[in-house]
Amino acid sequence: MRRSADIDALQHVLCAALGSRVPVCSLADLAGDTGAFVSLAPAALERPTLVGGGTPYNPTSPAPTPHALDALVRRAERLDVPQILVPNVRRSDDTRALRAAGFVPVAADTECVARLPGDVDEVLRNRVGADQLRDLRHRHHAASQEATWERVRLSELDGSPWARDAFVELHQRQAERFGGRRNPYNAAALEALVGGALADRTEMLVRRRKDTVVQVALLTVSHNGRGLYHLAQTTDLDDPAAGDLHVATPYQLYLDARRSGLDWVHLGRGDVHHKRRLGADLFVPLDHWLRAPDLAPAEEEEEGGLSHFAAPPVTGVPVPGPVRYRHRPRFDMVDLSSNTNPFLGAESHYPNLDTADLARTYLATVSKLPGHGDLAALGPDHVLFSSGAVDGAMLLLAALTSPGERACVTPPTFELYAHWAHLLRLPVVEVPLRGADLSELDTERILEADARVTILCDPSNPVGTRLDQTQVHDLIARSRGLVVIDEAYVEFSEKPSYAGLVEQHENLVVLRTLSKAWGLASARCGIVLARPGVIDSLRRVQLPFVFSDAAQHAVRDRLTNSQRALASIPLIRAERDRLATALDGHPAVDRVFPSEANFLMVRLHKHERVMEQLRGAGILVADTGHLVPDTCRISVGDRRANTALLRALSSAV
């Protein structure tokens, strides 16, 4: 919860649970949170502690202001309480005042939220995959056959005394099972909640099997009216269907939330992997902040520095305002900061800027591909989503070079590299590829150019060959400048990616795209993989909000439900090989270049005549004759399209 009045209400509930006028107890008494404090000295666990937040209830506590912290410290002094706890503060909050006041962070659980931008089943299929969705629906159906689903407003709880009694009893049994010395969800706490400021927004959720209550929870509507918080939940673990209930309840809450026009459900704190499988998509790390006599002051956190490759103008400007706060969740705020139209629905909101979880999904999915295992070692700070890989190249040149510094390209290659370099007033040095298959680098000439950035395309476009791996590794190791490798077509190759090496080499940047193998050209999603200092440099020049919510939705769906895309890759390879065999020795074709991409470059005997004949047959291929004489680049289509191409070529002889 982000409103101080709501936290004050939860403090009142905690006082009632403790039987005290003030929220003072030992850390060991805070059932459910003791795991975070196990590394502390026994004295710290048993020492009286003033609690300055809503723990042990699920919502987070906003980081206190300096004025609020001063009042909290003075209160502890008046009470002669030696220890102060500010629980469950989002790591993304501004915690400078806490550090300055001598508080020390203790890592807590992660806050997990399921956002619901549309139809529940479609959202979950996009987020957890079709198989997991089927499991959720199956468990929900099974639980619904066995147990009723009832929601009782707290203002009407007096009419349902059985629900009140079951809530207290189940929580007491849970506290005893897990060794809690106090039950913070006792009868007194419930009475305080019923009579407090949150009562009008809170309901008790009850599941009953016949006359036996097997699950109870408290749900509170957020102060901005857009979502639901879990204040507390417990299940009868002796019930045979307890496992299904844990899965079925969130699914039912999603359905109810959407029917009520709500946008999110707060799933409380817990294991990220488990909550992700239940549909959560926003994960916010939390810290407890503790001030105690025997704790050393917290060291100042060092902000990750920019890469030394950043251009001078970039080092002197901050990340653009909205992007600077991308890790600060706004789902439970009343957001009046963006000057948008409040009456026209979700489309009037700016796109989500926090793409950290989507980056994790990308890395986890792609790391399962052959030759990509090293990507599992990277994290969201190594990833930037761009508007296609070519936009990533433009950002690199804009952020990491200055006018007059050289850019090196290796023709024949993708022409937009040099195009952007010229626009940015960078002299372009061309060092052509060598060898019969145009797959060899002239490493010494590239190094002699002493370029600020060298851009390689591997697999090559327009040729389709992979560059010599030994030469690429040698260039990365010896170059003083950046080496950028565009791997737009690497999924079609059986050789490994270079992406997993970015953590080992500060001067290595890898560009990827979802336009090719992943079939999302319309979503315009490129990926830059690099050291965090490079990624931070790019954020300073990237336009905010270029990655639309629709594109993010499409990307997550394709990555989460990747079977169809991955199954298409061997089909394309097989059709590429069939087409290459048919073209090899064809009367109109002089040579078919080897390819590890989803296209073939061919040299034609009568280039102009064949190109004219293909256009006349309604077939469009890329004319690459200006890059490699007498050639064209043919994308691998489906069998029908490829057969049409072969027929048109035969008529051109």
Side-chain angles (χ1 to χ4, degrees):
M1 290 182 175
R2 310 309 287 169
R3 193 168 68 165
S4 57
D6 293 344
I7 298 300
D8 290 344
L10 290 180
Q11 280 242 314
H12 178 63
V13 174
L14 178 60
C15 289
L18 296 172
S20 169
R21 293 183 301 102
V22 291
V24 174
C25 63
S26 71
L27 297 180
D29 285 332
L30 296 176
D33 285 317
T34 53
F37 304 120
V38 292
S39 62
L40 299 178
L45 287 174
E46 298 297 336
R47 186 179 294 133
T49 304
L50 176 63
V51 181
T55 197
Y57 309 100
N58 272 320
T60 61
S61 304
T65 64
H67 175 75
L69 271 179
D70 287 343
L72 188 63
V73 170
R74 288 197 302 270
R75 188 182 191 191
E77 292 172 350
R78 287 197 305 270
L79 296 170
D80 195 24
V81 175
Q83 194 161 275
I84 307 173
L85 174 70
V86 178
N88 298 313
V89 176
R90 290 175 182 168
R91 204 166 290 169
S92 55
D93 281 0
D94 185 350
T95 58
R96 288 175 295 182
L98 283 162
R99 290 183 185 277
F103 285 78
V104 176
V106 178
D109 283 336
T110 300
E111 180 182 24
C112 306
V113 181
R115 291 173 292 191
L116 304 169
D119 175 78
V120 170
D121 282 356
E122 183 181 350
V123 168
L124 291 179
R125 180 190 177 280
N126 168 276
R127 194 170 292 162
V128 302
D131 292 342
Q132 178 64 10
L133 172 59
R134 278 193 292 271
D135 182 66
L136 289 173
R137 287 170 57 88
H138 172 74
R139 288 171 176 255
H140 173 257
H141 177 74
S144 298
Q145 297 300 306
E146 295 290 330
T148 60
W149 171 271
E150 301 165 70
R151 293 172 69 158
V152 182
R153 296 185 63 83
L154 285 197
S155 58
E156 301 169 358
L157 195 58
D158 287 342
S160 304
W162 57 269
R164 182 194 306 265
D165 294 342
F167 179 89
V168 174
E169 180 186 350
L170 280 181
H171 277 97
Q172 181 61 37
R173 284 161 55 187
Q174 176 176 277
E176 292 170 355
R177 179 186 290 263
F178 293 105
R181 300 193 307 189
R182 287 183 185 268
N183 173 17
Y185 309 100
N186 57 27
L190 184 59
E191 287 302 318
L193 190 61
V194 170
L198 294 176
D200 290 341
R201 291 159 37 204
T202 304
E203 292 181 316
M204 182 179 292
L205 162 66
V206 183
R207 279 194 181 273
R208 284 195 287 180
R209 178 178 287 107
K210 297 182 179 178
D211 293 328
T212 302
V213 176
V214 293
Q215 187 180 56
V216 288
L218 292 175
L219 308 172
T220 296
V221 176
S222 62
H223 80 279
N224 65 359
R226 293 181 55 194
L228 280 179
Y229 289 112
H230 264 90
L231 289 187
Q233 177 175 303
T234 188
T235 303
D236 182 357
L237 296 181
D238 296 324
D239 186 83
D244 283 342
L245 287 173
H246 276 296
V247 173
T249 298
Y251 183 81
Q252 184 65 55
L253 286 176
Y254 302 156
L255 296 175
D256 287 358
R258 287 307 299 164
R259 291 192 199 103
S260 302
L262 301 179
D263 298 333
W264 51 267
V265 173
H266 190 282
L267 297 181
R269 310 187 304 267
D271 177 69
V272 169
H273 176 72
H274 174 66
K275 299 291 189 182
R276 179 178 281 114
R277 289 182 62 80
L278 294 179
D281 71 317
L282 180 61
F283 305 96
V284 186
L286 305 176
D287 292 310
H288 300 310
W289 286 82
L290 185 63
R291 176 168 151 159
D294 47 5
L295 286 182
E299 295 182 4
E300 288 294 328
E301 287 187 336
E302 293 186 10
E303 293 188 13
L306 290 182
S307 168
H308 72 269
F309 288 106
V314 173
T315 63
V317 297
V319 172
V323 186
R324 195 180 316 149
Y325 306 111
R326 65 189 182 280
H327 293 315
R328 296 188 185 179
R330 298 186 180 188
F331 68 94
D332 52 359
M333 300 288 286
V334 175
D335 188 356
L336 301 177
S337 66
S338 300
N339 302 337
T340 57
N341 191 326
F343 301 108
L344 295 180
E347 293 79 9
S348 67
H349 301 312
Y350 281 112
N352 178 33
L353 286 171
D354 188 354
T355 56
D357 192 59
L358 186 58
R360 293 187 191 96
T361 300
Y362 173 78
L363 293 170
T365 302
V366 176
S367 66
K368 297 174 184 176
L369 297 177
H372 289 73
D374 290 343
L375 266 73
L378 305 183
D381 289 342
H382 294 87
V383 180
L384 179 79
F385 291 102
S386 59
S387 183
V390 66
D391 178 52
M394 176 64 170
L395 290 173
L396 285 164
L397 293 173
L400 307 177
T401 67
S402 298
E405 293 180 322
R406 287 182 289 277
C408 181
V409 296
T410 57
T413 191
F414 190 49
E415 295 175 280
L416 282 182
Y417 306 148
H419 174 80
W420 295 130
H422 285 305
L423 288 178
L424 293 170
R425 298 180 175 86
L426 305 177
V428 176
V429 178
E430 295 187 350
V431 181
L433 297 173
R434 302 191 301 185
D437 296 335
L438 298 174
S439 60
E440 298 175 15
L441 297 173
D442 190 341
T443 307
E444 298 307 321
R445 280 191 60 195
I446 294 174
L447 292 172
E448 287 173 7
D450 195 25
R452 177 70 167 183
V453 58
T454 298
I455 306 180
L456 309 178
C457 193
D458 186 41
S460 166
N461 177 15
V463 184
T465 50
R466 291 298 300 267
L467 299 175
D468 182 282
Q469 291 180 333
T470 301
Q471 292 180 324
V472 173
H473 283 283
D474 183 45
L475 178 62
I476 296 169
R478 296 171 59 195
S479 178
R480 295 197 306 167
L482 284 158
V483 177
V484 180
I485 304 178
D486 185 348
E487 292 188 340
Y489 301 94
V490 76
E491 290 92 345
F492 301 107
S493 172
E494 296 183 1
K495 295 177 182 176
S497 163
Y498 294 100
L501 301 178
V502 299
E503 183 57 30
Q504 302 174 30
H505 300 280
E506 187 180 6
N507 68 329
L508 175 62
V509 179
V510 174
L511 301 178
R512 302 291 291 261
T513 183
L514 297 181
S515 296
K516 309 301 181 183
W518 296 93
L520 286 178
S522 64
R524 303 308 303 134
C525 179
I527 296 101
V528 182
L529 298 169
R531 286 273 194 92
V534 172
I535 297 298
D536 286 345
S537 301
L538 303 189
R539 292 196 195 281
R540 301 191 180 206
V541 300
Q542 186 179 39
L543 292 173
F545 306 120
V546 294
F547 194 16
S548 71
D549 282 342
Q552 293 180 44
H553 180 89
V555 168
R556 187 183 290 275
D557 183 55
R558 187 57 49 88
L559 294 172
T560 304
N561 301 281
S562 59
Q563 298 89 341
R564 184 182 174 198
L566 296 178
S568 70
I569 293 174
L571 297 178
I572 290 174
R573 286 176 181 165
E575 196 62 21
R576 177 190 68 196
D577 295 343
R578 183 186 83 89
L579 185 59
T581 299
L583 290 171
D584 190 30
H586 191 285
V589 176
D590 178 50
R591 186 189 175 198
V592 180
F593 285 77
S595 175
E596 294 194 50
N598 64 336
F599 57 82
L600 295 168
M601 190 174 78
V602 300
R603 181 179 291 122
L604 303 168
H605 284 303
K606 299 178 180 179
H607 177 261
E608 293 299 329
R609 178 179 173 182
V610 172
M611 293 300 294
E612 182 178 340
Q613 186 69 29
L614 291 177
R615 285 192 292 270
I619 295 175
L620 183 63
V621 298
D623 188 346
T624 53
H626 61 297
L627 298 173
V628 181
D630 299 324
T631 63
C632 69
R633 189 194 67 197
I634 303 170
S635 296
V636 176
D638 59 22
R639 179 157 293 218
R640 180 177 179 180
N642 297 335
T643 300
L645 169 79
L646 293 170
R647 287 174 181 164
L649 278 176
S650 297
S651 65
V653 176

